[in-house]
Structure formats: structure tokens, C-alpha cells
Amino acid sequence: MSNRSKGSGPGEGRGGSPVDGTGTGSTAQPLLAARGLVKAHGRTPALRDVSVELRAGEILAVTGPSGSGKSTLLHCLAGIVRPDAGSVAYDGRRLEELPEKRLSELRRTDFGVVFQFGQLVPELTALDNVALPLMLAGTGRSLARERAGEWLERFGVRGQAKARPGEMSGGQAQRAALARALVTGPRVVFADEPTGALDSLAGEQVMAALAHTAREAGTAVLLVTHDARVAAYADREARLRDGTLTPLEVTA
Amino acid sequence: MSTRHVLLGLLASGPSHGYDLKRRHDEQFPEARPLAYGQVYTTLQRLVRDGLAEVDGTGSDGGPERTAYRATEEGTRELSRWAGEITPPAPFVTNEIFAKVVVSILSGGDPAAYLRAQRAAHMGRMRELTAVKSAAGAGLATVLSADYALNHLDADLRWMTTTEDRLTTLTAEVDAA
């Protein structure tokens, strides 16, 4: 499963079979697997022995109240934070064994991230924001911008291509951020409360766009949210309470 | 739903006979159960008895003879009073999930396990409804009705989450009672 092209445009598959979106299709080996994760912030435990798997192409919602460890789990799985104990395997490779250089390369090529807000570069237009990850990966400027335009189109914000983040609504900026997270053709998108700063309807539309596009592209999504209506767009739910996955945490 | 007030409301635009009232009711409330003719006539008779409506006249228009009714001044006042009156918000709490949790506590069951399983079922239903409204070609009525159901399920979920958090206290209170 490595014949994918970097910076693939919309509509280009990834070689695997399309995901049916029911969450019932599974592969033998999970794309991302955490085993016995333990992490403390100072003396406050954030994760206590958490094991969770993300299969290729599925959308997994990690839910739970504030302070339950959701974001810490996302950071560990994305290789942003190293756990105190336990391991994270991505496509069979253990993240904790990778040198920092390889890890950051992996994050650039295989992972996309979306946060609640503030991830777009304020000085750049929406188009250039989306083109940026491709250019950092070595794609030429004009091809990168062409691809960026296609992804903005896909998220319904091509009309905002020349707008800077401050000139867009929260929902439009978040759609541009999703386009930027997906433009490099990542296999996993980590989305931390992607609708948290939006009103109800805008949040709904952003989440619908993310779910639809990720399924179409076969991209797996690890979605952190405290909102059940947002989690309902996922195929499964993993529920954290006090740093532990609750029983029945994974509901098919 | 007060049929007498709804009929008074339909009479507010002018005298009407029973058949016409039934037809207009069904047009105005398309998702409601259609009114039975018998219910329309019985309700009209009661409105007349209570002085809220009166006979306007009879006519046949070439067909069977029909009696037309109009609202009295008292009927108009009563309609206005009813339409502005606040409907008691959820006067009785009779939810099955709530009842099961309480009974489970009383009988020494495992309410937390029940809540987790119920929560999973709620999430499953929310995923179904989300898929229905996200499907290509879903019409406005479908989206709105799915939204309605999703928001109510979400309200249940919030209550279940709070209840899980309260369970320790709740158990102690029920035990003490």
C-alpha cells in the first residue's frame, strides 16, 4: 500500500478498494495502532493505559468530556507528543523508534492535521495556504496552486481562493484548513475539535464536507470531539473518561 | 392538541360548515392525523353549547343542506386567550431511560452498564440518521426531520453523561430514602 502519488488531486484513488463508509470493512493490520499508552502532564495523568486502533479509510471519533485525554491521545497518535509508556505503530512502524527527522517527514507526507482554529497563515491567501504543504514537499508553484484550487473547489470555497484567512468566515477558513490538510494525499487526518469554534450549522457543514471528502479519498480520520452530533459522522466511537477508554468504547 | 381551539381558529377567518372545516384542517396540518367528520360535528356542537360558536345559517348550494357556523365574541376571546397561553414545558418526566436507571438503582442493578449500552445504541441511531441526511439527494424535509431527531437524541446523551457523573451521589440518595 505504498503506490500512492504525492499531492494527488481530487478523484485520484489510492490504489486500494474504496471505503464503503459503513465501518464494517476492515483490513488485517490496522493503519495506526496504539498499545498501552501512558502520558502525564507534570503530575497529572492524561492517559492511563490506552489502546486503540485506526483502520485504513475509517473515521474514528474520540469523544469524552474536557480533560479526558482526547487531545493528548491525538498528539501521541500523530507523533507530535511521545508517550511516557506504550507504543504507537503506523503502518507497522513504531513511531517511538523513529528518529525525529524521519518522524517529521512522516508527519509531512502521511499525516494531515486540522485544529479548532488558527492553523492558516494569516498573510497568505486561501489558495497559497493550501498550496504551501505541496510546495514544502517539493511540488512546483504553479502545479501546487492548481492542485490547491481543486481542493478548495472540493470543499466549496474556491470562490474564496484569493481571500486571506481574516477575510473569510469561520466556516470558510475551516474548509480551507481541511483542504490544506488533505492536499498532500495523507493517509490519516488528525482533526482536533475541527468544528469547535463554529456555530451549529457551519460546524455541521464543515463536518459533512470532511466526512464526505475523506471517504471519497479513502483517507482515515481520527476525529476528536466532545459533540455527539459531530461524532455521528464517524464510523466508530472511542470514548475516553479520565484518561481511560470506557467499556464498549468502540461501537460498530 | 385542542381540537376545539383549532376549529375556533379556522372559524376566525369567517363562517364555515363542518365539511369545509375538516378539509381546511387537513390542509393546514398535513402531518397530523386527519380529523374525523364525526369529531368535527361533535366539537362544533360543544362550541355552540358553550357559547363559543353559533349557527350562521343553512344552505344547500344545490347539494345536501349544510349548517354554517361562526365564532361568537366570547369564542374569539377564548381563542386569543388560548393562543397566547404558555404550554407547560415538559410537565411530567416520564422517560423510559430515566425510569430504567432509577429502577436499576433501586433493585441493585448496574445502571452504569445500562447507560453505556444505551449510549452506544443512541450513537448508532445518530450515525444512521446522519447517513440519511448526508445522502445525495436528501430533501429538506428529510434533513429537518433527521436534525430534529438528532438533537433530541443528543439531549438524551447529555442527560446520560451527566447521570453517569452523578451516579455515585444518586445511589447514595436512593439508598437513604
Side-chain angles (χ1 to χ4, degrees):
Chain A
M1 45 162 50
S2 58
N3 61 341
R4 70 207 179 81
S5 57
K6 292 280 154 49
S8 61
E12 293 174 34
R14 195 164 284 134
S17 56
V19 174
D20 60 10
T22 60
T24 51
S26 63
T27 52
Q29 188 189 20
L31 184 60
L32 199 57
R35 295 273 173 275
L37 288 186
V38 175
K39 179 70 188 175
H41 300 304
R43 294 172 65 182
T44 311
L47 296 176
R48 315 164 193 246
D49 192 18
V50 171
S51 297
V52 69
E53 290 181 351
L54 181 68
R55 298 193 283 258
E58 81 166 338
I59 303 179
L60 174 68
V62 176
T63 64
S66 305
S68 58
K70 304 188 295 288
S71 293
T72 304
L73 178 59
L74 179 142
H75 291 153
C76 288
L77 289 170
I80 298 167
V81 162
R82 286 187 191 267
D84 300 333
S87 70
V88 176
Y90 168 70
D91 206 11
R93 285 168 287 179
R94 292 178 63 148
L95 296 188
E96 62 275 10
E97 289 170 358
L98 295 178
E100 188 54 46
K101 187 162 174 276
R102 280 286 300 121
L103 193 57
S104 63
E105 187 185 313
L106 190 69
R107 284 200 299 263
R108 208 170 56 238
T109 57
D110 287 39
F111 297 171
V113 290
V114 185
F115 298 113
Q116 195 167 330
F117 40 46
Q119 64 268 39
L120 294 175
V121 182
E123 292 79 10
L124 297 182
T125 63
L127 188 72
D128 287 334
N129 260 290
V130 178
L132 193 62
L134 290 177
M135 288 164 67
L136 289 174
T139 307
R141 182 180 162 85
S142 82
L143 181 59
R145 297 184 95 210
E146 190 187 322
R147 286 279 156 78
E150 290 165 10
W151 278 92
L152 286 175
E153 170 92 48
R154 208 163 178 174
F155 280 104
V157 283
R158 183 136 202 181
Q160 279 69 43
K162 292 178 179 168
R164 289 182 169 73
E167 298 161 345
M168 292 186 275
S169 72
Q172 289 168 344
Q174 206 59 343
R175 284 158 183 263
L178 290 174
R180 196 174 77 163
L182 281 148
V183 71
T184 54
R187 295 174 71 192
V188 189
V189 165
F190 297 92
D192 194 352
E193 300 279 8
T195 65
L198 304 175
D199 66 49
S200 178
L201 183 58
E204 167 100 4
Q205 289 165 340
V206 162
M207 192 53 228
L210 171 58
H212 176 75
T213 311
R215 289 200 171 105
E216 210 170 58
T219 307
V221 178
L222 188 100
L223 170 70
V224 162
T225 181
H226 68 279
D227 187 339
R229 288 169 303 175
V230 171
Y233 280 90
D235 302 308
R236 292 191 299 136
E237 180 189 21
R239 190 163 173 245
L240 275 174
R241 285 174 80 82
D242 296 326
T244 312
L245 282 177
T246 58
L248 298 181
E249 80 290 6
V250 174
T251 47
Chain B
M1 183 75 154
S2 164
T3 304
R4 56 197 262 125
H5 290 101
V6 170
L7 290 188
L8 270 179
L10 293 172
L11 284 176
S13 56
S16 219
H17 54 71
Y19 174 79
D20 193 37
L21 286 172
K22 183 249 180 318
R23 189 181 51 77
R24 284 165 60 210
H25 170 275
D26 294 352
E27 277 170 16
Q28 294 293 325
F29 303 96
E31 303 300 321
R33 185 194 302 238
L35 269 189
Y37 289 109
Q39 193 184 358
V40 174
Y41 289 110
T42 312
T43 308
L44 280 170
Q45 281 161 14
R46 285 184 188 151
L47 286 173
V48 170
R49 182 196 65 195
D50 297 341
L52 302 176
E54 59 195 2
V55 172
D56 184 65
T58 53
S60 64
D61 272 345
E65 189 167 276
R66 283 169 175 163
T67 304
Y69 296 84
R70 63 169 177 259
T72 62
E73 272 183 38
E74 197 188 339
T76 307
R77 277 196 302 276
E78 170 56 20
L79 177 66
S80 164
R81 186 199 62 74
W82 177 77
E85 183 186 54
I86 289 170
T87 300
F92 303 108
V93 179
T94 54
N95 180 280
E96 189 167 331
I97 299 172
F98 169 66
K100 284 183 176 177
V101 169
V102 173
V103 167
S104 184
I105 294 168
L106 287 170
S107 63
D110 189 350
Y114 163 69
L115 281 171
R116 285 194 300 270
Q118 186 64 55
R119 192 182 187 289
H122 264 58
M123 280 306 301
R125 178 68 182 134
M126 287 180 78
R127 279 191 287 271
E128 280 175 18
L129 288 163
T130 301
V132 165
K133 75 170 183 175
S134 304
L140 182 61
T142 303
V143 173
L144 293 183
S145 67
D147 273 347
Y148 182 85
L150 280 163
N151 280 293
H152 281 78
L153 289 167
D154 187 45
D156 279 353
L157 279 182
R158 286 164 195 260
W159 176 81
M160 287 189 252
T161 303
T162 311
T163 300
E164 279 185 272
D165 293 341
R166 286 193 204 273
L167 263 183
T168 319
T169 322
L170 209 62
T171 307
E173 280 175 13
V174 174
D175 283 349

